[in-house]
Amino acid sequence: SSGSSTEQGKKQGTVELNLAHFFPATHPAETELIQPWAKAIYEATNGQVKIKSNPGETLLKADGIYDGVVSGVADIGLSCFSYTRGRFPVLEAFELPGTTYNNSKVASKVAWEGIKQLNPKEVQDTKLLMAFATGPGDLFTKVPVRSLEDLQGLEIRATGLSADTLKVLGANPVAMPQSDAYEALSKGVVKGNLSTVEVLKGWKHAEVTQYLTRTPFLYNTVFFVTMNLNKWNSLSPENQKIIEDVSKKYFEEVAISLWDKQDEAALKYAFDEKGMKEIKLSDQETSRWVNLVKPMQDNFVKKMNEKGFQGQQIMDTVKALADKYNQEYK
Amino acid sequence: MKKFEGLVTGLSRVLNNIAGFCMVSVMALVVVNILLRVLFKHPILGTYEYVIYTTAVMIGLTLAYCAVQNGHIAVDFVVERLPLKVQAVIDTIMNVLASSFWAACVWQTCKYAQKMTANGTVSPTTQTPIAPFIYLVAIGLLALTLVLLVKTIESLKKAFSLSDISMPAPNVGAVESIQKAVTH
Amino acid sequence: MSPISVGLISIIVFLILLTLRMPIAFAMALVGFAGFAYLTSPAAAFSMVTNEIFSNFSSYSLGVIAMFVWMGFLAFYSGIGTRLYVFAYKLIGHYPGGLAIATQAACAVFGAICGSNTATAATIGAIALPEMNKYKYDVSLATASVAAGGVLGVLIPPSVIFIVYGIATEQSVGKLFIAGIIPGIILMLLYMAAIYIITSRKKELGPPGERADWQERFTALRGGLGEVLVIFAISMGGLFVGWFTPTEAGAVGAAGVLGVALLKRSISWEGFNKSLLDATRTTAMIMLLIAGAMIFGRLMAISRVPFELAQLAGNLPLPPYAVMAVILLIYLILGCFIDALAMILLTIPIFYPIAVNTLGYDPIWFGVIIVLTVAMGVITPPVGMNVYIIKGIAPDIPLEVIFKGIWPFLWAIIVCLAIMMAFPQLATFLPGLIS
Ligand code: NA
Ligand code: NA
């Protein structure tokens, strides 16, 4: 039926939308989320809205995607909020350490629900279609990290918020781009990485690290799929409704579990094929770590209050949602 | 006119000297960071960010002096074969196109920096504001535009009179010997 | 007008501006901007251009080029390069083209520290060109041999292009690195053979000198090779032991050369300043070219020219080797206009599934083939990044003189490609051992 819907679309005028993201063309974000989502929109709008994906930074670099969508370089963009630090002050709350997310479903639900509730000014210059998250990240290292003591002075690759987190924990954060991390890990310039475990397979870090310490309270990255406002407003209300509905469906059915699925595959690869060893922290040890990173949330509240935001209210929203969805998705 | 020319060349040279200083700083910073990391296990966390922004400034501030030295390479074997007058006309048109393009880029780069200030974008790890570095690149582009403006006026003069006033091309060091080889 | 037509017209306009003596970087940026503005809006195009300029200037992986370039000029102004070439000349200068042959070895050895073809060409160029000129080598041969030699920098690990390919295709970067070693050595030998053949036929291209006796060679060895070995040992050893990353190796190399030069008191304040002047000029030229190429690449991306071309090739009803030949031909054509990295990112999503999933070629092997094809792209006109780099180091040598010298090296790459096609094991054997 897609043939006839194309014909019909041509009659009524097809809108072609360029979508920019940074994931490789083979990444599930492209093959399982963006492509099927774009196809569903194309079919549901009878071929009136055609989304063309430009993966692998071919249209915009990762840190330029949001502003590229604002100015119309791309019509739609998918990237992380944290690539442009300071640009999304409120949304940093979702990535702060100290909040436990059981999995990417929880983290995604919290982020998207939370953004809708808080509706911060910083994202109102585009039409946000969905936000989803990686969920918890873990420490993967060349030497075993079983306790805080093992972490002291250990060189771990991290940038942005994660660097602050590691510093608080007593590690030695080394900032470098993910593209340099493989070489640095392989030669031991750094001894570990704090990231989602997807990296173990996607960036082959399992080839160069041996231990995996589970830390579901240390890390989270939130992604957005967002559209240029003028382009959005130029669409018919029917097509807008369709895009919102399709996005909602793909958020629920694909996006929120995207990282869980990848993490599962990556862990299988790391444990079964590369012989990595898993380390689980005891409850007592976990609370030592959490106690150290908690002040980062207090600092956030203080800083946000100074800037004239309701710091505590933002943090409470995140916590309430995390409690709710941690119950729902164990 | 001569005065304007001298002024522009002087400005480019000053900016280039600052760029040279940036080059030395980047090298020193990277090496010191490696030593601190290997010997004392205490790297400078911001190295990665300081290096990339200093490098950006270094490149930006060199653009103009590079143009003064005719360092932005071009294909000249076609135009070379045309009469001098035609060459001058073509050069004028190209220089006008290029200088207006870069002038627009100066203005847009400043707007980009303004936007970065307004929305509070900082570097991810050290949270250093990025805008000042973008402004410095804009200054480099402005100097490049001025150099191209001088070149426009020069080629325009040539087109009308074919009198030879040219910007002094400073010595290009490493390659002198090769140049000689080519000329004989 | 359809995006494809805009893309094709932009290529033509770019070529016209190029022939009208507009600096290449300016022409790419200007046409890329104009085409992008036409397809989107002026505001979007300006946003794209300013973002590309700043983000390429502040790119971590590209920034290393600056350090390597400075290292090359420091080696030249401190006489380290000269002493190294005196030794090389005493050793093999009595063969026709001996110094150009030695330069290929230098590129290969340097390629073991440096992961970028641009930086390899620039660094070795700064050292080798004045020396080959001193010994009356043909300018065309000398410049082209360095431009082509730069490619050894990305075949021999570490390699920026293998990293980009590995990430785009989810292949092991480690395996790709190892896969590049044998083809890298083969290409080096082919380059050497090509130089030997053409200079044997026409001796004036690389005039052979007097054969030196072992006494002289030993003296030259002590004067020249020691310091290079020290610098190389620090860079290579430090990389191997894990003191620093390949991206940091450039700064270490520059510091190493400066340190040795200061210890031996072989660099003057004036020489130091000149090295900075040349290094900043060359870096600015290279980086603006890269930014221009990226801007033009963004236009290509939204105009979908590479995409359509690639799809065309994929749908051809031809036997596998013929499809592969068409793919390589398309890379050769695109390589004439688009920068290597941008080209890989734009085309891999289409070609990789065809080559690996449909035709059943080995993904690691295909990576090596791609790097070799890209190698052709960076030395062929009109857009040949490595040739431009050499032009930037030796501004008064006309571009066409360098391009004229490219032929033997182009043939060497084609022969290397043929060898890899005939004996894929040469690329897949070593990586197979580590899995
Ligand atoms: Na290399
Ligand atoms: Na080419």
Side-chain angles (χ1 to χ4, degrees), chain C residues 26-341:
Chain C
F26 298 6
M28 285 196 286
L30 180 58
V31 176
F33 163 78
F36 205 94
Y38 182 86
L39 288 175
T40 57
S41 70
F46 271 128
S47 161
M48 183 271 289
V49 167
T50 50
N51 193 298
E52 285 308 323
I53 290 174
F54 188 71
S55 68
N56 279 294
F57 285 5
S58 63
S59 151
Y60 192 53
S61 49
L62 293 175
V64 71
I65 292 174
M67 288 296 120
F68 277 122
V69 167
W70 189 31
M71 173 184 173
F73 281 113
L74 276 171
F76 169 73
Y77 283 108
S78 64
I80 289 177
T82 306
R83 292 193 288 279
L84 183 64
Y85 270 81
V86 167
F87 170 67
Y89 195 69
K90 297 272 189 233
L91 197 65
I92 54 169
H94 55 286
Y95 293 110
L99 281 188
I101 291 173
T103 301
Q104 298 310 320
C107 286
V109 170
F110 184 73
I113 328 175
C114 173
S116 139
N117 59 316
T118 324
T120 306
T123 313
I124 301 293
I127 303 170
L129 290 181
E131 301 306 324
M132 283 199 268
N133 179 56
K134 231 180 258 169
Y135 294 101
K136 306 267 177 289
Y137 273 55
D138 177 65
V139 187
S140 228
L141 172 75
T143 47
S145 73
V146 186
V151 173
L152 298 173
V154 283
L155 258 180
I156 292 167
S159 160
V160 181
I161 297 192
F162 275 139
I163 293 179
V164 168
Y165 177 86
I167 292 163
T169 62
E170 307 200 309
Q171 288 302 312
S172 160
V173 176
K175 279 190 186 177
L176 283 165
F177 275 8
I178 292 172
I181 296 175
I182 293 179
I185 293 172
I186 292 177
L187 184 61
M188 179 193 74
L189 294 174
L190 286 170
Y191 279 167
M192 290 174 167
I195 295 166
Y196 187 75
I197 291 169
I198 57 163
T199 50
S200 301
R201 279 208 209 136
K202 279 176 91 176
K203 292 249 168 23
E204 67 272 21
L205 293 180
E210 295 272 307
R211 178 189 284 270
D213 60 31
W214 283 103
Q215 180 68 43
E216 285 177 275
R217 286 175 184 171
F218 191 68
T219 318
L221 175 85
R222 277 198 318 203
L225 207 58
E227 54 203 22
V228 175
L229 281 180
V230 169
I231 297 162
F232 194 75
I234 295 173
S235 310
M236 198 62 211
L239 264 184
F240 192 75
V241 185
W243 286 341
F244 45 82
T245 63
T247 331
E248 292 167 325
V252 175
V257 174
L258 187 60
V260 167
L262 288 176
L263 278 178
K264 292 195 77 170
R265 295 171 191 281
S266 60
I267 194 164
S268 61
W269 177 241
E270 197 201 350
F272 175 79
N273 276 328
K274 277 190 176 172
S275 77
L276 273 177
L277 197 66
D278 283 345
T280 47
R281 187 197 66 240
T282 309
T283 308
M285 186 277 289
I286 296 175
M287 295 304 300
L288 196 65
L289 260 176
I290 292 178
M294 289 304 290
I295 291 168
F296 197 72
R298 299 308 189 201
L299 168 62
M300 289 294 109
I302 56 160
S303 74
R304 306 235 133 193
V305 171
F307 182 83
E308 296 294 333
L309 210 57
Q311 280 216 316
L312 202 72
N315 296 333
L316 288 175
L318 293 170
Y321 62 88
V323 175
M324 186 52 94
V326 173
I327 290 179
L328 296 187
L329 188 70
I330 288 179
Y331 268 116
L332 201 57
I333 297 170
L334 288 177
C336 291
F337 303 103
I338 308 177
D339 178 50
L341 292 178

Side-chain angles (χ1 to χ4, degrees), chain B residues 37 71 73 77 91 174-175 181, chain C residues 21 77 133 243 248 393 400:
Chain B
R37 192 173 64 209
I73 55 166
F77 68 94
D91 284 347
V175 289
Chain C
R21 199 149 72 180
Y77 283 108
N133 179 56
W243 286 341
E248 292 167 325
I393 292 175
E400 65 269 25

Side-chain angles (χ1 to χ4, degrees), chain B residues 26-36 47, chain C residues 248 251-256:
Chain B
V26 169
M27 187 265 277
L29 179 60
V30 173
V31 172
V32 167
N33 181 53
I34 293 170
L35 291 176
L36 287 175
T47 306
Chain C
E248 292 167 325
V252 175

Side-chain angles (χ1 to χ4, degrees), chain C residues 332 335-337 376-385:
Chain C
L332 201 57
C336 291
F337 303 103
M376 289 199 272
V378 297
I379 58 172
T380 50
V383 179
M385 202 52 93

